[in-house]
Amino acid sequence: MIVFLLLLLGAVMNDTSARDVISFNTGWQFKKGPFSTDPMRASAQWDGKWEEVTIPHTWNAKDMQVKADAFYEGVGYYRKKQFFGNELAGKRVFLRFEGVGACTEVYVNGKLVGTHKGGYSAFAFEIGTALKLGAENEIIVKADNTARPDVIPVNHSLFGVYGGIYRPVWLITTEQNNITVTDCASPGVYITQKNVSRRSADITVKVKLDNGSLAPAQLVLENSIYTQEGKKVVSQRLPLELTPQGTQSYVSTFKLKNPHLWQGREDPYLYKVVSCLLANGEVIDEVTQPLGVRHYEIVAGKGFYLNGEKYPMYGVTRHQDWWGLGSALTNREHDFDLAQIMDVGATTVRFAHYQQSEYLYSRCDTLGLIIWAEIPFVNRVTGYESDNAQTQLRELIRQSFNHPSIYVWGLHNEVYQPHEYTASLTQSLHDLAKTEDPDRYTVAVNGYGHANHPVNQNTDIQGMNRYFGWYEKKVQDIKPWVEGLEKDYPWQKLMLTEYGADANLDHQTEYLGDALNWGKPYYPETFQTKTHEYQWSVIAEHPYIIASYLWNMFDFAVPMWSRGGVPARNLKGLMTFDRKIKKDSYYWYKANWSKSPVLYLTQRRNTDRERKQTSVTVYSNIGTPKVYLNGKELTGIRKGYTDVHYIFDQVTLEKGKNKIKAVAVYNGKEYVDEIEWDYQSEKKRDADAHENKNEHGGVSKCAPSFF
């Protein structure tokens, strides 16, 4: 299984020499603007002034993360000198970029070989005719992350578009006849499935072929399906004559009997589809793609169904950037993020607000995460972005078509005025998605809670972002909101696509009201915890919310903001930007979602206690815990919002250090969590910011018990 996924990513060459896919990430030089003259003409004068870099690379790894509205937005140049030998004579040569922020021009030996607009989708250019074989060649890439009205996103307001070649680059070499490389940089193979059940499934494999010569070729296309263990299940050979007049499509159909279904996290079983192109009995090209046999269905008011079984949609969202790295990530960072998402117990991920790494999507296939992929049509419209939005959607769909983990294409997020333009463009995007891929859902997201908003109801699913208690109203207003929609719009396929609150770990208090003025510089972690505790309990009781996606799994950069005491940062993550600290809310969801044992005392960082009489909260999914204060067992435990939520009220602290210990026994094993608080005297916080009492308590010097 690992081998065929690596083949999918181009990291391993095929057994034959038909198609070579090699990493093209080393030996690059970089020069950052701004430039006073035409850089292409001046590049020869920069010798000795280039910086040696390795791809992935971004020039905004630091400045976009530390100070609001103070980052470099503009042009950067990359140069690579590469020897291409005469053995490439008669071959076709391509460069494939997985992601460049955000608009790109690629030159080979001074010749423009292609341009691309959009910072998140892959693109591929054929460069063979511009090469000098048997000599050193110069490749120059111009990258520009300047916000512009005709390329989405049209600004840096919700997140920053990091500049540079921040995802891998591949050099692909094929014979003259190949499985197309330049069909929106897709694999050239498209797998669809119909009538999926445990008895059978109808599988269609469409392959796009390209003849780069000036003569028709007599070829054979062989499509085969293999089990995860490597056994060939079915195969079909199609003799064909491939003419040079454009890309040609060929289709094989199969009926899989008694298929092993892809069942999410429970059993993410993957077949593989191998498409081989043969000439005179020899393989001249080959592409391998994953096949997860599954069927998704959404029933309004009831929920999400996977292969006919109701499936829990425990959702998180993820921005791709890391502290100190920006968007220039390796597979190690992607794997780390996915490990945290799996650990918290999530079953579905909204990858927001743009196309993310191919490797990431492939790992979700193998992990069984059900995912939402979307384009960066966010925040604002200009009236000039229509063509580019459609291009980026087409690229997303074709490049990601075969990932069984993807169930929906996201078309826009919080885009409004002018309503008529936005609604019309959303309808066009929906039509495009259904033309490219009739079998998946579409979704658009609104930041208002009204089903009848002028830009709504233009996609299969209506997403709504709701931040009760943070941007509007009170934490508890989520309940009447969803119950009102249930009553008035029972037919609507609704998803709660963002909710939550910021949490600065340096801000701690026991005094919390039911709403927080997010414009103030004080963002206590305890308010985030309170928000998630109550709002998840409401979500869990309302199947009308087909899926929910908390915002966000990780803190991330917002280079135009300065709020909550940390410049250029959105603090709504369950984990900190550097991925070093898991906030209390992380363990709330892990206790509610995960099958792993969790015993956790909350308010671990709120060490300076403000009240002598307080409350202690424990999350435990392994039964009722016993809790001790300074060695004495506490009494009066009660259940909170869910079955894993335990609260001790009216706990009286001693002056000085107070040690709290929680103990639970599960399957014969004892789990322990210990924290320490300090109480000196009663303290009253600003009543305007903190008007009501909280029902939590806790801070730790010891690691929690979670396995």
Side-chain angles (χ1 to χ4, degrees), residues 444-695:
V445 176
N446 196 304
Y448 297 93
H450 315 300
N452 62 348
H453 189 279
V455 304
N456 283 354
Q457 313 307 336
N458 293 305
T459 54
D460 297 325
I461 301 165
Q462 184 59 57
M464 294 189 188
N465 299 338
R466 311 303 296 137
Y467 289 95
F468 292 110
W470 190 252
Y471 294 127
E472 63 166 328
K473 299 184 179 181
K474 297 181 178 180
V475 170
Q476 296 82 1
D477 283 315
I478 187 174
K479 187 171 183 179
W481 167 75
V482 66
E483 290 178 349
L485 289 174
E486 282 177 321
K487 177 178 178 293
D488 296 335
Y489 303 95
W491 49 267
Q492 181 176 228
K493 294 181 175 72
L494 178 79
M495 292 187 178
L496 179 57
T497 44
E498 293 178 24
Y499 68 100
D502 286 72
N504 184 335
L505 299 189
D506 292 331
H507 298 171
Q508 302 288 340
T509 183
E510 297 176 71
Y511 292 101
L512 298 171
D514 296 327
L516 189 121
N517 183 347
W518 60 271
K520 291 190 175 183
Y522 191 70
Y523 287 3
E525 180 189 10
T526 44
F527 187 84
Q528 183 196 60
T529 306
K530 175 178 179 174
T531 299
H532 282 294
E533 285 178 346
Y534 179 76
Q535 295 191 351
W536 167 250
S537 73
V538 174
I539 295 165
E541 293 175 350
H542 289 82
Y544 181 77
I545 300 175
I546 293 161
S548 61
Y549 294 90
L550 64 87
W551 191 265
N552 195 283
M553 188 68 198
F554 310 101
D555 290 350
F556 60 94
V558 280
M560 308 300 288
W561 296 11
S562 184
R563 301 190 327 212
V566 182
R569 189 73 52 83
N570 186 304
L571 298 164
K572 292 186 181 68
L574 301 187
M575 291 182 68
T576 53
F577 199 8
D578 59 10
R579 273 61 168 179
K580 290 183 178 180
I581 300 176
K582 298 172 180 176
K583 304 177 188 180
D584 283 354
S585 296
Y586 181 103
Y587 294 98
W588 168 248
Y589 285 104
K590 183 171 181 177
N592 279 282
W593 293 351
S594 175
K595 296 178 182 179
S596 300
V598 176
L599 180 69
Y600 183 83
L601 287 156
T602 68
Q603 291 198 44
R604 318 186 71 76
R605 284 156 287 277
N606 195 6
T607 51
D608 183 15
R609 305 306 294 179
E610 299 155 306
R611 302 188 306 173
K612 183 177 181 65
Q613 191 172 83
T614 187
S615 299
V616 174
T617 294
V618 188
Y619 304 150
S620 171
N621 63 4
I622 53 176
T624 304
K626 292 184 178 180
V627 177
Y628 302 86
L629 173 63
N630 299 322
K632 182 179 179 180
E633 184 175 357
L634 297 176
T635 60
I637 192 171
R638 67 178 175 87
K639 277 287 185 73
Y641 294 129
T642 73
D643 287 340
V644 305
H645 194 194
Y646 297 89
I647 301 168
F648 293 85
D649 296 309
Q650 298 181 339
V651 174
T652 303
L653 301 180
E654 298 176 0
K655 186 172 183 178
K657 299 295 182 182
N658 289 263
K659 294 185 178 181
I660 301 174
K661 179 179 180 180
V663 180
V665 178
Y666 180 69
N667 288 340
K669 181 177 180 179
E670 183 179 78
Y671 295 85
V672 178
D673 190 23
E674 296 179 286
I675 64 176
E676 187 175 281
W677 298 343
D678 181 73
Y679 172 76
Q680 296 298 330
S681 62
E682 292 287 322
K683 304 180 186 71
K684 184 66 175 177
R685 299 290 186 185
D686 177 8
D688 179 59
H690 321 292
E691 54 196 359
N692 295 331
K693 291 183 179 180
N694 184 24
E695 57 185 18

Side-chain angles (χ1 to χ4, degrees), residues 198 229 256-262 267 269-271 292-293:
R198 298 194 180 277
E229 296 74 24
L256 282 182
K257 295 182 179 179
N258 303 313
H260 191 150
L261 299 183
W262 189 90
D267 185 11
Y269 187 89
L270 289 174
Y271 293 87
V293 182

